[in-house]
Amino acid sequence: MAELFKWSGRNRDDAAGSAPTPAAAETVTSSKVFQRFIAALTPRPSPVLLDLGPVVGANISFYGERLACKLYVEDLFAEIEAIHRRGAADTMSTALVERLHHGEASIDGILCWDLFDFLDRATGQAVAARLIKMLKAGGALHALFGTTAVELTHYTRFIVEADDSLRQRPYPATKVKRMVRQMGDINRLFDGLKGIESVLLKTSARETLFRK
Amino acid sequence: MWKRDEAVRPPQPTSGNATSGTAEPSAIRTEATRQQERDMVNIGKSVVIKGELSGSEDLTIEGQVEGRIELKQNVLTIGPNGRIKAEIFAKSIVVQGEVHGNITASERADIRDNGSVDGDLSAPRIAIADGAHFRGSIDMQRTAGGTKPTVEHKGSDSKSSDKSPEHRSVVETKPAATVGSAAQPVSQTTVSPPVR
């Protein structure tokens, strides 16, 4: 019996190493670049927006009021989490690119949020290449990149409060080391797009805007 | 299930007090609730429909429907046990269960906490709770009249990321047009008034 308990205890410990951890507190951060992203899309008639994060009712409201756009929601974070839980990290690149099924030059704006922090170099490159293809000429891409190499235990749900304010609400993730990219790496990642603005926020995240 | 039972239960004889002008407000409310429940049609958990479902009264689905649902002048509620693989057209839609397919609402679409939609959503008013799962597109283009779409935000908890991929399918899911089911073959079902 003791062996049984020991066995189950060990499993619990092992699981704790990779299992999602409790959520951290939410924060509000100012955004310098998001308003430029919105401004880039505003003059476009009925723009098509692709959000690569989880669906957030408040954001849909914001996009609807400001852009009257058609919005696609492709929660790649859910896909990443599912892949980690299956222990199939080698399929990550293929799975994520397959999720991005939209046609070439069909999207006006892409919101990546902090997606690339969770992607290794090869997967990030494959996903970025697909996003570049999907973006229309003149389209805009908004992304955030962490600058500190830490273990990520949470995904972040970004809730748009205003043009210049994003509420960050963490929710549990399978632990993974953040893929830190320097500015040069980021530019290479989106080779083919033009870097419009890059700002280092107080949170140490780099906020960037690219245009095609 | 209790709703279905209520729906088919014959009207109870009402006392004079309940209908008179001096009736208690609670009694009036109870009577109104009963009337509402009698008017509500339910498709129970064990019911499987494959084909086209259309009608002219509010409907709650707790069972499974594959095909097409049209309630263009009425409210369609997909209950927590509802499993739908269909193209849906209704005046107003409330999703508490799972929907695979496109949804078009002429007034309002409401995806509640734990509701799940894989498909394209088109409605002038949209409410998505944070605990809801949604994958697909939301059409928020301005209408010809120039009115802006309204989207409401409810709740604060997140569960969408916890949904396994098994709960999802491709965005462009088209409802099956097959007719007949091994469980309960129904080629075409038209919603009819409840038995009273």
Side-chain angles (χ1 to χ4, degrees):
Chain A
M1 202 59 169
E3 278 299 299
L4 185 64
F5 280 124
K6 205 164 90 182
W7 175 77
S8 64
R10 188 172 61 241
N11 265 6
R12 253 199 319 275
D13 290 343
D14 289 347
S18 59
T21 50
E26 60 183 63
T27 54
V28 179
T29 54
S30 61
S31 165
K32 306 282 184 193
V33 178
F34 184 69
Q35 53 194 302
R36 291 198 66 179
F37 173 80
I38 294 295
L41 297 180
T42 304
R44 300 171 84 91
S46 304
V48 179
L49 191 60
L50 174 63
D51 186 344
L52 300 179
V55 65
V56 177
N59 293 1
I60 294 165
S61 175
F62 181 86
Y63 306 141
E65 286 171 13
R66 295 295 300 274
L67 302 171
C69 60
K70 179 164 186 171
L71 172 69
Y72 287 95
V73 180
E74 288 289 346
D75 184 2
L76 294 192
F77 296 92
E79 190 76 43
I80 291 168
E81 182 60 23
I83 289 167
H84 280 309
R85 286 185 184 186
R86 285 201 305 269
D90 53 325
T91 65
M92 182 85 76
S93 181
T94 313
L96 295 187
V97 171
E98 276 177 7
R99 280 283 295 258
L100 301 169
H101 54 85
H102 309 274
E104 288 189 20
S106 62
I107 306 289
D108 293 280
I110 298 174
L111 289 159
C112 299
W113 306 116
D114 59 347
L115 173 71
F116 288 92
D117 286 0
F118 294 87
L119 305 183
D120 63 34
R121 206 166 289 279
T123 305
Q125 198 65 61
V127 170
R130 184 77 194 109
L131 295 178
I132 292 166
K133 275 188 183 173
M134 284 158 42
L135 207 57
K136 285 182 189 173
L141 183 144
H142 178 256
L144 291 153
F145 297 89
T147 55
T148 51
V150 294
E151 294 277 353
L152 297 169
T153 56
H154 301 95
Y155 300 111
T156 303
R157 176 177 268 107
F158 290 87
I159 300 158
V160 180
E161 295 205 322
D163 275 8
D164 58 354
S165 175
L166 298 172
R167 179 174 290 275
Q168 299 186 17
R169 183 175 294 158
Y171 60 100
T174 297
K175 197 187 286 183
V176 61
K177 187 155 188 180
R178 174 186 277 150
M179 181 71 203
V180 177
R181 290 176 170 86
Q182 304 303 323
M183 199 55 226
D185 298 330
I186 296 169
N187 286 333
R188 273 191 293 279
L189 191 65
F190 291 106
D191 190 20
L193 301 185
K194 188 179 174 188
I196 301 295
E197 194 161 0
S198 176
V199 175
L200 193 60
L201 301 174
K202 282 179 185 169
T203 57
S204 299
R206 182 170 292 282
E207 190 181 19
T208 58
L209 177 68
F210 286 93
R211 298 289 299 270
K212 190 172 184 181
Chain B
M1 291 301 281
W2 64 272
K3 278 188 181 171
R4 188 175 62 176
D5 293 340
E6 287 289 336
V8 296
R9 189 177 293 166
Q12 299 293 317
T14 52
S15 68
N17 282 347
T19 52
S20 72
T22 58
E24 296 276 332
S26 61
I28 294 169
R29 206 163 42 243
T30 308
E31 182 58 28
T33 309
R34 280 182 188 157
Q35 184 62 41
Q36 219 169 16
E37 284 167 356
R38 280 197 295 270
D39 290 345
M40 181 68 80
V41 181
N42 271 0
I43 291 177
K45 277 190 227 178
S46 63
V47 179
V48 178
I49 296 173
K50 292 195 178 187
E52 190 169 319
L53 193 153
S54 62
S56 56
E57 58 197 285
D58 296 351
L59 176 69
T60 297
I61 300 175
E62 291 283 2
Q64 295 178 43
V65 177
E66 286 185 31
R68 182 183 170 92
I69 303 170
E70 271 197 43
L71 295 173
K72 286 188 173 172
Q73 302 301 319
N74 299 88
V75 179
L76 172 67
T77 303
I78 313 297
N81 300 301
R83 301 286 177 268
I84 311 296
K85 284 186 182 174
E87 193 122 9
I88 302 174
F89 300 88
K91 186 177 83 173
S92 184
I93 298 166
V94 179
V95 180
Q96 295 167 306
E98 279 185 27
V99 176
H100 290 254
N102 300 335
I103 295 176
T104 305
S106 58
E107 277 191 7
R108 180 189 169 89
D110 189 351
I111 308 176
R112 299 273 173 87
D113 194 10
N114 294 325
S116 171
V117 174
D118 277 44
D120 297 343
L121 186 55
S122 177
R125 291 170 65 86
I126 297 170
I128 299 178
D130 267 1
H133 165 78
F134 175 77
R135 185 180 166 194
S137 78
I138 297 168
D139 202 338
M140 298 182 289
Q141 293 176 37
R142 286 187 178 96
T143 57
T147 54
K148 282 185 178 179
T150 309
V151 188
E152 290 161 21
H153 167 65
K154 298 191 289 190
S156 60
D157 293 336
S158 161
K159 287 170 192 163
S160 61
S161 64
D162 295 331
K163 293 260 181 187
S164 67
E166 286 75 25
H167 288 106
R168 293 170 294 169
S169 66
V170 292
V171 175
E172 299 293 336
T173 303
K174 299 291 180 198
T178 53
V179 171
S181 154
Q184 188 172 340
V186 181
S187 61
Q188 184 166 8
T189 303
T190 302
V191 178
S192 55
V195 180
R196 299 196 181 182

